[in-house]
Amino acid sequence: MRPDLAAALDLAPHPEGGWYRRTWTSPVTVETDRGPRPSATAILYLLDGPARWHRVRSAELWCHHSGPDAELVLGGDGDSPGTETVLRLGTAGADALPQREVPADVWQRAAPLGDGPVLVSCVVSPGFDFADFELS
């Protein structure tokens, strides 16, 4: 069932879990080895449970807006998720930061660290394309 905040923000289901909507696409295009992409894109993403392992061929910047902190787990850049590095996204924990980078081609998954959903923005550069997205 779609959470109230996802409905209010007109968010759709995301394949990794949670809810999203693209909110910005740069008008500047860049060439990549996978074809032309916008130089950057941004989404609103509502994380209401653990997300699936996935990776994106572009760098991502996660920005925390509301809700509990989230655990952002990085799993390396091999053929499948490997050694994990755990980052805290938010403002409540001693090691928390409201912005976190996920480098290009690195496996990742996220989960809320408290009750309720976590609202973030994800800025991707070069811009996101589902052709550059892989689920584990």
Side-chain angles (χ1 to χ4, degrees):
M1 184 171 159
R2 186 158 79 157
D4 290 343
L5 185 54
L9 295 172
D10 194 27
L11 306 182
H14 197 289
E16 77 191 55
W19 306 85
Y20 83 107
R21 177 172 55 91
R22 184 176 286 192
T23 56
W24 176 71
T25 301
S26 172
V28 177
T29 301
V30 296
E31 286 297 324
T32 73
D33 60 354
R34 299 163 314 279
R37 300 286 187 265
S39 62
T41 57
I43 64 168
L44 284 174
Y45 181 57
L46 187 69
L47 182 64
D48 61 349
R52 295 175 57 190
W53 279 111
H54 66 285
R55 65 178 168 180
V56 177
R57 295 189 189 269
S58 298
E60 290 184 64
L61 181 66
W62 286 59
C63 305
H64 184 271
H65 295 299
S66 66
D69 284 1
E71 177 180 72
L72 187 56
V73 183
L74 308 184
D77 61 0
D79 291 337
S80 60
T83 302
E84 296 181 3
T85 300
V86 179
L87 305 174
R88 190 173 183 121
L89 177 70
T91 58
D95 58 346
L97 291 174
Q99 294 181 340
R100 292 290 191 168
E101 177 195 357
V102 176
D105 289 317
V106 170
W107 290 100
Q108 60 178 294
R109 62 181 174 81
L113 288 173
D115 293 333
V118 179
L119 180 63
V120 302
S121 288
C122 292
V123 179
V124 180
S125 179
F128 182 83
D129 188 302
F130 272 105
D132 303 330
F133 175 80
E134 180 182 1
L135 286 170
S136 173

